Amino acid sequence: MSPTVLKSPTEIEIMDQANRIIRTILRDLGAIVRPGVTTLEMDRFAEDRIREGGGVPAFKGYPHRNDGRDFPGTICSSVNSEVVHGVPSDNVRLDEGDIVSVDLGVRYKGYFGDSAETFAVGTVSEEAARLLQVTREALSRGVAQVRPDGRVSDIGHAVQSYVEGNGFSVVREFVGHGIGSELHEEPQVPNFGKPGRGTRLAPGMVLAIEPMVNAGGPEVMISADDGWTARTRDGSLSAHYEVSVAVTETGYRVLGDPAPGKE
Ligand code: MG
Ligand code: MG
């Protein structure tokens, strides 16, 4: 992972634009997600829209950590018990009642944006609806911890406390991260831990904060078939939301967000 880099206001503006491209595509994907749509159709839609916007898909060709199976998709599409890194496929057709997490990364003018959202397909179970709501709120609570002189573990502590207080669990194997001219920079941003630890936050840092929340236990396993798809070990549902957040002089700014935060 590349070291932590402070970004200039100009760089943060470019990253805001990168994330704006992503937020718009996620919003539009939310409108086309319905029973019968395949995750490969969603992938094609996202790739076309990124390229129209002058960006490049950030995940496509991302190197696998063990072998030559680079990530083939523009989006990661993770359905139901899949946590993250699901591979888009014309064999994966969404059904009524599914949930699908879409993670989307873009490189734009040399900088990265990274954001994710979980969508309900038609009408979902009460448990699934609550999982989405709790994960979304956990993200908000994590983001609300971002401030200059705050510590990176304040974020994870807020996420974990809220999630576990609602009877769900947070994934340990995957974490948020710094982001900039590299997709993954220091510091790592876990979704768990004691407060007041780790990297001290400073204006100009940009963090991708991304709680992954399981309805059952926190354990995950990686698919041997594609080497990428992480799913819950107990088969329970999982949700994932992510935003890229800049540390400002007085608080934070959610990049690409029309209601950008506390500055
Ligand atoms: Mg992401
Ligand atoms: Mg990320």
Side-chain angles (χ1 to χ4, degrees):
M1 202 177 271
S2 306
T4 304
V5 182
L6 298 181
K7 282 81 190 177
S8 71
T10 308
E11 292 174 306
I12 287 175
E13 285 311 315
I14 296 170
M15 293 181 73
D16 184 60
Q17 291 165 23
N19 282 285
R20 203 167 291 270
I21 293 171
I22 296 174
R23 298 308 314 174
T24 306
I25 296 171
L26 285 175
R27 185 196 64 204
D28 293 346
L29 274 173
I32 66 165
V33 162
R34 68 172 69 87
V37 170
T38 70
T39 54
L40 190 64
E41 288 166 346
M42 295 167 64
D43 188 77
R44 295 272 154 77
F45 176 86
E47 178 166 2
D48 289 348
R49 292 288 304 274
I50 289 172
R51 295 194 189 282
E52 281 164 28
V56 177
F59 302 157
K60 199 166 199 158
Y62 194 87
H64 191 277
R65 66 182 82 172
N66 298 323
D67 57 39
R69 291 185 287 179
D70 297 350
F71 194 79
T74 288
I75 62 170
C76 298
S77 50
S78 308
V79 180
N80 294 336
S81 65
E82 295 174 353
V83 179
V84 286
H85 305 161
V87 178
S89 167
D90 55 6
N91 291 322
V92 179
R93 199 172 286 280
L94 298 175
D95 280 330
E96 177 81 19
D98 284 345
I99 58 173
V100 56
S101 299
V102 178
D103 194 349
L104 185 54
V106 166
R107 187 163 61 83
Y108 180 74
K109 297 185 179 174
Y111 292 85
F112 286 89
D114 191 6
S115 196
E117 193 164 334
T118 303
F119 299 106
V121 184
T123 305
V124 300
S125 69
E126 211 167 291
E127 182 190 50
R130 202 168 69 82
L131 179 68
L132 268 52
Q133 186 234 315
V134 166
T135 311
R136 196 184 306 118
E137 176 63 19
L139 173 60
S140 298
R141 289 180 182 227
V143 168
Q145 294 297 317
V146 175
R147 62 187 181 281
D149 283 331
R151 301 287 286 269
V152 76
S153 78
D154 298 346
I155 298 166
H157 180 71
V159 169
Q160 182 181 21
S161 311
Y162 182 73
V163 167
E164 293 181 355
N166 280 280
F168 296 141
S169 64
V170 295
V171 171
R172 310 302 204 261
E173 281 83 351
F174 304 103
V175 297
H177 49 92
I179 183 168
S181 59
E182 302 288 340
L183 179 58
H184 296 119
E185 299 180 354
E186 293 288 348
Q188 293 197 4
V189 185
N191 295 297
F192 55 93
K194 295 188 164 72
R197 310 226 169 149
T199 303
R200 197 172 288 282
L201 303 182
M205 285 184 186
V206 183
L207 305 174
I209 301 175
E210 48 178 317
M212 288 144 268
V213 175
N214 297 348
E219 299 82 10
V220 302
M221 52 196 255
I222 309 292
S223 159
D225 294 341
D226 60 33
W228 284 104
T229 309
R231 65 179 72 245
T232 57
R233 195 170 281 276
D234 60 10
S236 64
L237 294 174
S238 188
H240 179 211
Y241 287 81
E242 177 179 23
V243 288
S244 302
V245 182
V247 185
T248 65
E249 295 294 333
T250 54
Y252 65 86
R253 173 179 173 191
V254 177
L255 300 181
D257 192 333
K262 197 179 75 176
E263 290 189 76

